[in-house]
């Protein structure tokens, strides 16, 4: 029983083909530079070397056609007919307040995702292009949407309403939505499994730290608060996004430098964060190296990030009353021993104590707290594609 998972960006498309019998990944790949010169597809059949094919890929339909051709390829493919693909799961970034769960896609769902475009103007249109192209190419195959925002729909109102006139919530649906929901869901479930307890009995702070980052309070298996919000800028310092700031500083800068909203938005999304503070770049590895070599602004960026993570862990422990585990995931969370060490400094007050030698682990599941730490600190590589594949199988394949 094979399920294809598609994650469509505006100029790229990632895919993974799962055999759901054992949840094995049969093949995966990436189409890059869709609609831009130099487009290509990178395809990997599990156990084989990556193959790169340059091709003209003017739009998402051509991109998906190429993906299907690669999957069918007699030498390096993994299926012999498209009928083997029982269903397709799509990552959709924004489901607004309408979707608290994944759904089989029909016209009503397409319309609702379209309605959410103003909330995610960069992501939802790209996701929709992928869905529509797939529906055209495989009209008989069920398609499922799995939303980044859905997991956070359980937040209580006091966690998602902002302290601005209430009309903005009622009329314009301005509220905290949160993102990376599929990742937080996966690692929180996995943490409960590693603790040997039902998810309903476990409180976890999940730290998804990548280029984009968010921290979530998962109480009894459901999200009760999260650090990203209406948009993808708040919370901890990110690659190029600023994290929590005082909103009045934007007004001050806009007035002082006579900037329009678009320019200010560019500063907050693209010129800030680790990149903006360090002056080195957005890749944490470069910044860690510079900090080790004595670069003060690199060290400051690193400290800003880790201080933010530490504050959120404390805040979410307070929000939930008790925590059983802290989980680190995504590129930085899974790999940066420095960030984990700095973020977990002086956490004995919470019953969490990091084991320095165990913290050396990178990119694989591990408990990195001391044996006597009441709160377990864990590294859990995220697997959003697997969650999408599982939901797709459950909803679309009887
Ligand atoms: P995205 O949000 O784009 O999916 P990722 O989850 O891949 O991002 O995370 C990318 C970040 O992870 C980058 O800042 C990168 O520097 C960082 N990272 C990856 N490997 C390491 C490592 N070994 N040490 C420190 N940081 C790392």
């Amino acid at each position: 029983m094979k399920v294809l998972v598609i994650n469509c960006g505006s100029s790229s498309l990632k895919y993974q083909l799962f055999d759901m019998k054992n949840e094995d990944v049969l093949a995966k790949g990436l189409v890059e530079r869709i609609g831009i010169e130099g487009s290509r597809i990178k395809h990997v059949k599990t156990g084989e070397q990556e193959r790169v094919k340059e091709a003209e890929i003017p739009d998402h339909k051509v991109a998906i056609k190429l993906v299907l051709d690669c999957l069918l390829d007699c030498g390096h493919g993994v299926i012999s007919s498209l009928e083997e693909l029982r269903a397709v799961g799509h990552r959709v970034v924004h489901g607004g307040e309408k979707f608290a769960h994944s759904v089989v896609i029909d016209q009503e769902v397409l319309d609702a995702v379209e309605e959410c475009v103003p909330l995610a103007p960069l992501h939802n249109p790209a996701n929709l292009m992928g869905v529509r192209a797939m529906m055209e190419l495989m009209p008989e195959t069920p398609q499922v949407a799995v939303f980044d925002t859905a997991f956070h729909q359980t937040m209580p109102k006091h966690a998602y309403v902002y302290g601005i006139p209430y009309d903005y919530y009622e009329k314009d649906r301005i509220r905290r939505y949160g993102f990376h929901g599929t990742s937080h869901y996966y690692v929180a479930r996995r943490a409960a499994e590693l603790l040997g307890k039902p998810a309903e009995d476990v409180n976890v702070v999940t730290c998804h730290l990548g280029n984009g980052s968010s921290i979530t309070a998962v109480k009894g298996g459901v999200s009760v608060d999260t650090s990203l919000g209406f948009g993808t800028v708040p919370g901890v310092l990110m690659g190029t996004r600023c994290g929590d700031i005082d909103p009045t500083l934007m007004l001050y800068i806009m007035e002082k430098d006579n900037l329009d909203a678009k320019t200010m938005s560019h500063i907050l999304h693209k010129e800030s964060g680790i990149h903006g503070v360090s002056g080195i770049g957005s890749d944490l590895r470069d910044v860690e190296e510079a900090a080790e070599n004595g670069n003060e602004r690199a060290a400051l960026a690193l400290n800003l990030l880790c201080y933010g993570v530490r504050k959120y862990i404390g805040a979410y422990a307070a929000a939930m009353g008790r925590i059983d585990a802290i989980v680190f995931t995504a590129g930085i969370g899974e790999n940066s021993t420095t960030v984990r060490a700095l973020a977990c400094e002086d956490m004995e007050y919470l019953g969490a104590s990091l084991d320095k030698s165990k913290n050396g682990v990178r990119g694989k599941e591990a408990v990195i707290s001391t044996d006597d730490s009441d709160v377990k600190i864990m590294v859990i590589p995220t697997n959003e594609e697997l969650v999408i594949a599982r939901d797709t199988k459950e909803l679309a394949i009887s």
Side-chain angles (χ1 to χ4, degrees), residues 141-162:
T141 309
Q143 318 274 330
V144 169
V146 179
F147 301 93
D148 267 29
T149 49
F151 181 56
H152 300 300
Q153 279 297 303
T154 45
M155 281 189 290
K157 211 163 190 173
H158 59 257
Y160 71 71
V161 167
Y162 290 117

Side-chain angles (χ1 to χ4, degrees), residues 208-212 282-285 288 330-332 335-336 362:
H208 176 112
L209 309 176
N211 269 322
S282 62
D283 193 306
L284 191 79
R285 284 166 289 203
E288 281 185 356
I332 294 173
N335 293 297
S336 174
R362 289 179 199 272

Side-chain angles (χ1 to χ4, degrees), residues 237 273-275 277-278 283-292 295-310 332 336-340 342-343:
L237 197 76
I274 294 169
H275 163 76
V277 175
S278 72
D283 193 306
L284 191 79
R285 284 166 289 203
D286 302 336
V287 174
E288 281 185 356
E289 196 185 319
E292 268 166 37
N295 183 306
E296 279 182 25
R297 271 175 55 191
L300 177 63
L302 200 54
N303 281 328
L304 266 168
L305 164 63
C306 298
Y307 178 58
V309 174
R310 199 155 71 231
I332 294 173
S336 174
T337 56
T338 311
V339 167
R340 294 192 304 243
L342 288 173

